[in-house]
Amino acid sequence: MAYSHPNLHRIGPSNSDAPTLWSYTTTDATAVVDSASYFNGAVADLTVGDIIIANTSTGGTLAAGFYLVTANDGTDVDVNDALVVTATDTD
């Protein structure tokens, strides 16, 4: 699957020079979201330093992670490999 712009939501802040926090959900696996150019559809929205909190693999075993926007040259957006959030449910 590919990036889906309607699934990217600004959490805040607005009208600030501070990095923006975003929420994103996708059925794509974390390794796919990590790929260079995955977020190119949001090139006009994402800025270097922004943080994306993502729920990934929503069609299978749910995963979550934090992504830092590391590059945006106006054409291509790149994020770091996910800082994966793991959890164990023992009950």
Side-chain angles (χ1 to χ4, degrees), residues 6-30:
N7 294 345
L8 182 69
H9 302 280
R10 177 190 295 264
I11 297 172
S14 59
N15 302 321
S16 172
D17 289 333
T20 300
L21 187 60
W22 298 87
S23 171
Y24 183 69
T25 186
T26 182
T27 58
D28 292 339
T30 300

Side-chain angles (χ1 to χ4, degrees), residues 4-90:
S4 176
H5 198 65
N7 294 345
L8 182 69
H9 302 280
R10 177 190 295 264
I11 297 172
S14 59
N15 302 321
S16 172
D17 289 333
T20 300
L21 187 60
W22 298 87
S23 171
Y24 183 69
T25 186
T26 182
T27 58
D28 292 339
T30 300
V32 173
V33 178
D34 284 351
S35 301
S37 304
Y38 181 85
F39 285 102
N40 282 358
V43 71
D45 299 308
L46 296 173
T47 302
V48 172
D50 285 358
I51 297 170
I52 303 167
I53 302 170
N55 284 332
T56 59
S57 303
T58 58
T61 302
L62 184 62
F66 291 87
Y67 297 86
L68 177 66
V69 178
T70 54
N72 182 342
D73 65 7
T75 303
D76 293 309
V77 175
D78 195 15
V79 297
N80 67 310
D81 292 345
L83 173 59
V84 177
V85 176
T86 59
T88 303
D89 184 7
T90 59

